[in-house]
Amino acid sequence: FVLDLQMPGAALQMHLVEPAPPRDAGPAFTTPGHFDKGGHLRRLYFARRSAQLELRLRNPSANAAPCRLAVTLPDRELAPDAPLHANLAVGDGDLHRLHATAGQLLRLSVDSTVFDARLDVWDPLGNVLATPDDQGPLDRNPRHTFLVPADGDYRVLVHCGGSASGGYTVLAESLPVPELSPGQSLPVQVIAGSPGYV
């Protein structure tokens, strides 16, 4: 989910806390990213389990601070082999949900001609799987190939390093996994910068 705080007045401080976490349960949420800019705090949170959370706002100034707070579920569905075209707002990030099955071989890619794209991937438990970048100064489009470790909903965050914005395409491409038989050789093509799986 996303906490979105807009404050045209004095700057506010925002903290999300879990008042009484169960013993040995670990934190109820992780923070996969934030996109703060002047007068606007936008924080992403990943809920690992059901929990009651408490939001605390603090005004360190001596003046009243009007604000607007929203909690949203921003996931966009990303289906395998179906390119998704979208527009990235200035200084923001787009979160996509990808349902995948254990054993699938997927290649995630983001293509944009107007900004230097970045790509972050989280597993169903909120752990970081990858934060791939492009392959060099002339390549601004990140790629990540991985063998899906477990069934579930994966999160894919598209963003950029600066304050650029504009159109992009994100794709989760299903790849065939070559089958290796006992006693037989198997030619495998490995692309530079990507792992090869059999």
Side-chain angles (χ1 to χ4, degrees), residues 19 34 54 62 72 76 81 86 96 102 106 121 124 128 130 137 181 184 186:
H34 61 88
E54 181 179 299
T72 59
R76 302 177 186 194
D81 301 312
H96 304 274
L106 294 176
V121 186
V128 176
S181 300
Q184 296 183 2
L186 178 68

Side-chain angles (χ1 to χ4, degrees), residues 39-94:
H40 191 178
L41 300 180
R42 191 164 184 271
R43 309 282 173 88
L44 305 180
Y45 295 95
F46 185 96
R48 293 184 166 194
R49 57 181 168 78
S50 297
Q52 182 167 337
L53 305 177
E54 181 179 299
L55 178 66
R56 298 176 183 171
L57 297 179
R58 182 173 178 271
N59 180 5
S61 73
N63 302 319
C67 65
R68 185 186 70 81
L69 178 69
V71 179
T72 59
L73 300 173
D75 284 356
R76 302 177 186 194
E77 191 71 33
L78 177 62
D81 301 312
L84 191 149
H85 308 286
N87 280 294
L88 187 69
V90 175
D92 208 345
D94 288 344

Side-chain angles (χ1 to χ4, degrees), residues 184-195:
Q184 296 183 2
S185 62
L186 178 68
V188 177
Q189 180 180 6
V190 180
I191 300 173
S194 298

Side-chain angles (χ1 to χ4, degrees), residues 15-197:
H15 301 282
L16 185 68
V17 295
E18 185 178 0
R23 183 173 291 178
D24 300 328
F29 61 91
T30 59
T31 55
H34 61 88
F35 299 94
D36 299 344
K37 44 191 171 183
H40 191 178
L41 300 180
R42 191 164 184 271
R43 309 282 173 88
L44 305 180
Y45 295 95
F46 185 96
R48 293 184 166 194
R49 57 181 168 78
S50 297
Q52 182 167 337
L53 305 177
E54 181 179 299
L55 178 66
R56 298 176 183 171
L57 297 179
R58 182 173 178 271
N59 180 5
S61 73
N63 302 319
C67 65
R68 185 186 70 81
L69 178 69
V71 179
T72 59
L73 300 173
D75 284 356
R76 302 177 186 194
E77 191 71 33
L78 177 62
D81 301 312
L84 191 149
H85 308 286
N87 280 294
L88 187 69
V90 175
D92 208 345
D94 288 344
L95 190 62
H96 304 274
R97 182 177 61 249
L98 169 65
H99 186 76
T101 305
Q104 275 185 296
L105 182 60
L106 294 176
R107 178 168 53 220
L108 293 169
S109 61
V110 179
D111 294 301
S112 176
T113 59
V114 292
F115 65 89
D116 187 2
R118 293 192 180 175
L119 172 67
D120 297 344
V121 186
W122 290 276
D123 70 10
L125 297 177
N127 301 307
V128 176
L129 273 184
T131 56
D133 203 350
D134 44 53
Q135 298 296 317
L138 300 179
D139 180 12
R140 301 191 310 173
N141 299 314
R143 308 259 184 280
H144 178 61
T145 302
F146 71 109
L147 198 63
V148 177
D151 295 359
D153 288 334
Y154 291 73
R155 296 316 195 270
V156 177
L157 179 67
V158 177
H159 59 109
C160 72
S163 58
S165 64
Y168 69 90
T169 300
V170 58
L171 172 64
E173 183 181 1
S174 298
L175 302 176
V177 182
E179 185 173 343
L180 179 63
S181 300
Q184 296 183 2
S185 62
L186 178 68
V188 177
Q189 180 180 6
V190 180
I191 300 173
S194 298
Y197 296 94

